[in-house]
mmCIF file of all heavy atoms in Angstrom:
data_model
loop_
_atom_site.group_PDB
_atom_site.id
_atom_site.type_symbol
_atom_site.label_atom_id
_atom_site.label_comp_id
_atom_site.label_asym_id
_atom_site.label_seq_id
_atom_site.Cartn_x
_atom_site.Cartn_y
_atom_site.Cartn_z
ATOM 1 N N SER V 13 98.008 120.409 105.631
ATOM 2 C CA SER V 13 96.491 120.303 105.392
ATOM 3 C C SER V 13 96.159 120.213 103.935
ATOM 4 O O SER V 13 96.216 121.138 103.207
ATOM 5 C CB SER V 13 95.752 121.398 106.050
ATOM 6 O OG SER V 13 94.412 121.379 105.632
ATOM 7 N N ARG V 17 94.757 123.231 100.948
ATOM 8 C CA ARG V 17 95.729 123.370 99.892
ATOM 9 C C ARG V 17 95.078 122.732 98.510
ATOM 10 O O ARG V 17 95.802 122.498 97.613
ATOM 11 C CB ARG V 17 97.009 122.567 100.219
ATOM 12 C CG ARG V 17 98.281 123.395 99.962
ATOM 13 C CD ARG V 17 98.349 124.643 100.861
ATOM 14 N NE ARG V 17 98.558 124.345 102.280
ATOM 15 C CZ ARG V 17 98.441 125.228 103.202
ATOM 16 N NH1 ARG V 17 98.100 126.469 102.843
ATOM 17 N NH2 ARG V 17 98.528 124.893 104.441
ATOM 18 N N ARG V 123 108.390 113.473 122.865
ATOM 19 C CA ARG V 123 108.192 113.524 121.459
ATOM 20 C C ARG V 123 109.539 113.262 120.792
ATOM 21 O O ARG V 123 109.549 112.610 119.619
ATOM 22 C CB ARG V 123 107.721 115.012 121.130
ATOM 23 C CG ARG V 123 106.272 115.273 121.507
ATOM 24 C CD ARG V 123 105.883 116.768 121.123
ATOM 25 N NE ARG V 123 104.481 116.908 121.632
ATOM 26 C CZ ARG V 123 103.572 116.434 121.061
ATOM 27 N NH1 ARG V 123 103.600 115.860 119.945
ATOM 28 N NH2 ARG V 123 102.308 116.606 121.615
ATOM 29 N N TYR V 209 107.058 129.764 108.488
ATOM 30 C CA TYR V 209 105.962 130.674 108.120
ATOM 31 C C TYR V 209 106.343 132.136 108.852
ATOM 32 O O TYR V 209 105.735 133.138 108.593
ATOM 33 C CB TYR V 209 104.638 130.242 108.682
ATOM 34 C CG TYR V 209 103.856 129.283 107.880
ATOM 35 C CD1 TYR V 209 103.453 128.152 108.479
ATOM 36 C CD2 TYR V 209 103.481 129.585 106.605
ATOM 37 C CE1 TYR V 209 102.740 127.194 107.718
ATOM 38 C CE2 TYR V 209 102.765 128.688 105.761
ATOM 39 C CZ TYR V 209 102.294 127.496 106.446
ATOM 40 O OH TYR V 209 101.685 126.597 105.666
ATOM 41 N N ARG V 210 107.282 132.020 109.947
ATOM 42 C CA ARG V 210 107.432 133.228 110.730
ATOM 43 C C ARG V 210 108.432 134.153 110.255
ATOM 44 O O ARG V 210 108.534 135.312 110.702
ATOM 45 C CB ARG V 210 108.003 132.591 111.990
ATOM 46 C CG ARG V 210 106.949 131.826 112.767
ATOM 47 C CD ARG V 210 107.573 131.173 113.968
ATOM 48 N NE ARG V 210 106.706 130.007 114.560
ATOM 49 C CZ ARG V 210 107.034 129.349 115.447
ATOM 50 N NH1 ARG V 210 108.142 129.552 116.124
ATOM 51 N NH2 ARG V 210 106.186 128.299 115.912
ATOM 52 N N ARG V 250 98.536 131.578 100.001
ATOM 53 C CA ARG V 250 98.281 130.546 101.112
ATOM 54 C C ARG V 250 99.134 129.366 101.035
ATOM 55 O O ARG V 250 98.614 128.174 100.883
ATOM 56 C CB ARG V 250 96.693 130.110 101.151
ATOM 57 C CG ARG V 250 95.853 131.361 101.621
ATOM 58 C CD ARG V 250 94.353 130.794 101.919
ATOM 59 N NE ARG V 250 94.370 130.089 103.204
ATOM 60 C CZ ARG V 250 93.678 129.017 103.387
ATOM 61 N NH1 ARG V 250 92.863 128.533 102.367
ATOM 62 N NH2 ARG V 250 93.734 128.461 104.652
ATOM 63 P P DG C 4 105.053 138.233 118.174
ATOM 64 O OP1 DG C 4 104.642 139.693 118.269
ATOM 65 O OP2 DG C 4 104.437 137.150 118.908
ATOM 66 O "O5'" DG C 4 105.288 137.893 116.642
ATOM 67 C "C5'" DG C 4 106.028 138.676 115.769
ATOM 68 C "C4'" DG C 4 106.612 137.890 114.565
ATOM 69 O "O4'" DG C 4 107.711 137.095 115.236
ATOM 70 C "C3'" DG C 4 105.599 136.927 114.140
ATOM 71 O "O3'" DG C 4 104.955 137.459 113.007
ATOM 72 C "C2'" DG C 4 106.490 135.703 113.462
ATOM 73 C "C1'" DG C 4 107.590 135.781 114.610
ATOM 74 N N9 DG C 4 107.477 134.826 115.761
ATOM 75 C C8 DG C 4 106.378 134.595 116.444
ATOM 76 N N7 DG C 4 106.625 133.648 117.364
ATOM 77 C C5 DG C 4 107.897 133.257 117.179
ATOM 78 C C6 DG C 4 108.548 132.253 117.801
ATOM 79 O O6 DG C 4 108.381 131.451 118.777
ATOM 80 N N1 DG C 4 109.952 132.079 117.166
ATOM 81 C C2 DG C 4 110.358 132.882 116.136
ATOM 82 N N2 DG C 4 111.560 132.501 115.746
ATOM 83 N N3 DG C 4 109.722 133.711 115.483
ATOM 84 C C4 DG C 4 108.465 133.844 116.073
ATOM 85 P P DT C 5 103.400 137.122 112.623
ATOM 86 O OP1 DT C 5 102.996 138.248 111.714
ATOM 87 O OP2 DT C 5 102.712 137.013 113.996
ATOM 88 O "O5'" DT C 5 103.433 135.739 112.116
ATOM 89 C "C5'" DT C 5 104.225 135.488 110.946
ATOM 90 C "C4'" DT C 5 103.726 134.174 110.312
ATOM 91 O "O4'" DT C 5 103.996 133.127 111.194
ATOM 92 C "C3'" DT C 5 102.162 134.040 110.120
ATOM 93 O "O3'" DT C 5 101.895 133.604 108.762
ATOM 94 C "C2'" DT C 5 101.706 133.159 111.272
ATOM 95 C "C1'" DT C 5 102.813 132.308 111.463
ATOM 96 N N1 DT C 5 103.028 131.740 112.791
ATOM 97 C C2 DT C 5 103.106 130.405 113.019
ATOM 98 O O2 DT C 5 103.155 129.630 112.170
ATOM 99 N N3 DT C 5 103.287 130.039 114.277
ATOM 100 C C4 DT C 5 103.317 130.869 115.421
ATOM 101 O O4 DT C 5 103.417 130.385 116.605
ATOM 102 C C5 DT C 5 103.123 132.236 115.051
ATOM 103 C C7 DT C 5 103.118 133.278 116.307
ATOM 104 C C6 DT C 5 102.926 132.740 113.904
ATOM 105 P P DG C 7 96.894 128.295 106.694
ATOM 106 O OP1 DG C 7 97.002 127.753 105.377
ATOM 107 O OP2 DG C 7 96.100 129.292 107.180
ATOM 108 O "O5'" DG C 7 96.548 126.927 107.529
ATOM 109 C "C5'" DG C 7 97.377 125.817 107.419
ATOM 110 C "C4'" DG C 7 96.741 124.685 108.454
ATOM 111 O "O4'" DG C 7 97.250 125.111 109.723
ATOM 112 C "C3'" DG C 7 95.256 124.734 108.457
ATOM 113 O "O3'" DG C 7 94.780 123.385 108.233
ATOM 114 C "C2'" DG C 7 94.838 125.045 109.946
ATOM 115 C "C1'" DG C 7 96.054 124.841 110.637
ATOM 116 N N9 DG C 7 96.425 125.807 111.755
ATOM 117 C C8 DG C 7 96.284 127.352 111.597
ATOM 118 N N7 DG C 7 96.475 127.915 112.706
ATOM 119 C C5 DG C 7 96.861 126.935 113.669
ATOM 120 C C6 DG C 7 97.227 126.992 114.970
ATOM 121 O O6 DG C 7 97.495 127.964 115.719
ATOM 122 N N1 DG C 7 97.486 125.712 115.477
ATOM 123 C C2 DG C 7 97.444 124.486 114.760
ATOM 124 N N2 DG C 7 97.655 123.396 115.491
ATOM 125 N N3 DG C 7 97.080 124.479 113.438
ATOM 126 C C4 DG C 7 96.796 125.709 113.082
ATOM 127 P P DT C 8 93.281 122.917 108.122
ATOM 128 O OP1 DT C 8 93.205 121.867 107.269
ATOM 129 O OP2 DT C 8 92.483 124.218 108.013
ATOM 130 O "O5'" DT C 8 92.898 122.466 109.540
ATOM 131 C "C5'" DT C 8 93.701 121.409 110.184
ATOM 132 C "C4'" DT C 8 93.273 121.075 111.590
ATOM 133 O "O4'" DT C 8 93.859 121.973 112.416
ATOM 134 C "C3'" DT C 8 91.737 121.059 111.729
ATOM 135 O "O3'" DT C 8 91.382 119.935 112.537
ATOM 136 C "C2'" DT C 8 91.483 122.261 112.546
ATOM 137 C "C1'" DT C 8 92.846 122.541 113.243
ATOM 138 N N1 DT C 8 93.192 123.870 113.741
ATOM 139 C C2 DT C 8 93.680 124.102 114.983
ATOM 140 O O2 DT C 8 93.923 123.228 115.737
ATOM 141 N N3 DT C 8 94.021 125.322 115.308
ATOM 142 C C4 DT C 8 93.648 126.489 114.483
ATOM 143 O O4 DT C 8 93.983 127.574 114.866
ATOM 144 C C5 DT C 8 93.192 126.220 113.207
ATOM 145 C C7 DT C 8 92.875 127.300 112.251
ATOM 146 C C6 DT C 8 92.846 124.995 112.931
ATOM 147 P P DA C 14 101.405 120.009 122.121
ATOM 148 O OP1 DA C 14 101.172 118.811 122.908
ATOM 149 O OP2 DA C 14 102.400 120.980 122.552
ATOM 150 O "O5'" DA C 14 101.844 119.373 120.674
ATOM 151 C "C5'" DA C 14 100.873 118.934 119.778
ATOM 152 C "C4'" DA C 14 101.149 119.319 118.306
ATOM 153 O "O4'" DA C 14 100.907 120.581 118.043
ATOM 154 C "C3'" DA C 14 102.703 119.149 118.057
ATOM 155 O "O3'" DA C 14 102.903 118.377 116.908
ATOM 156 C "C2'" DA C 14 103.121 120.569 117.686
ATOM 157 C "C1'" DA C 14 101.845 121.269 117.258
ATOM 158 N N9 DA C 14 101.823 122.685 117.696
ATOM 159 C C8 DA C 14 102.085 123.282 118.782
ATOM 160 N N7 DA C 14 101.832 124.624 118.661
ATOM 161 C C5 DA C 14 101.486 124.865 117.336
ATOM 162 C C6 DA C 14 101.041 126.058 116.701
ATOM 163 N N6 DA C 14 101.137 127.230 117.144
ATOM 164 N N1 DA C 14 100.747 125.859 115.490
ATOM 165 C C2 DA C 14 100.650 124.655 114.878
ATOM 166 N N3 DA C 14 100.966 123.538 115.369
ATOM 167 C C4 DA C 14 101.296 123.728 116.677
ATOM 168 P P DA C 15 104.332 117.869 116.438
ATOM 169 O OP1 DA C 15 104.125 116.483 115.769
ATOM 170 O OP2 DA C 15 105.279 118.122 117.513
ATOM 171 O "O5'" DA C 15 104.627 118.872 115.261
ATOM 172 C "C5'" DA C 15 103.642 119.036 114.231
ATOM 173 C "C4'" DA C 15 103.978 120.316 113.315
ATOM 174 O "O4'" DA C 15 103.718 121.541 114.026
ATOM 175 C "C3'" DA C 15 105.452 120.292 112.947
ATOM 176 O "O3'" DA C 15 105.703 120.300 111.545
ATOM 177 C "C2'" DA C 15 105.999 121.570 113.560
ATOM 178 C "C1'" DA C 15 104.668 122.340 113.716
ATOM 179 N N9 DA C 15 104.729 123.465 114.704
ATOM 180 C C8 DA C 15 105.176 123.387 115.975
ATOM 181 N N7 DA C 15 105.005 124.543 116.674
ATOM 182 C C5 DA C 15 104.503 125.457 115.786
ATOM 183 C C6 DA C 15 104.147 126.823 115.781
ATOM 184 N N6 DA C 15 104.340 127.552 116.965
ATOM 185 N N1 DA C 15 103.575 127.297 114.607
ATOM 186 C C2 DA C 15 103.455 126.570 113.568
ATOM 187 N N3 DA C 15 103.721 125.297 113.418
ATOM 188 C C4 DA C 15 104.363 124.786 114.491
#
Side-chain angles (χ1 to χ4, degrees):
Chain V
S13 170
R17 231 60 71 193
R123 293 179 183 282
Y209 281 125
R210 298 172 191 176
R250 292 193 74 218

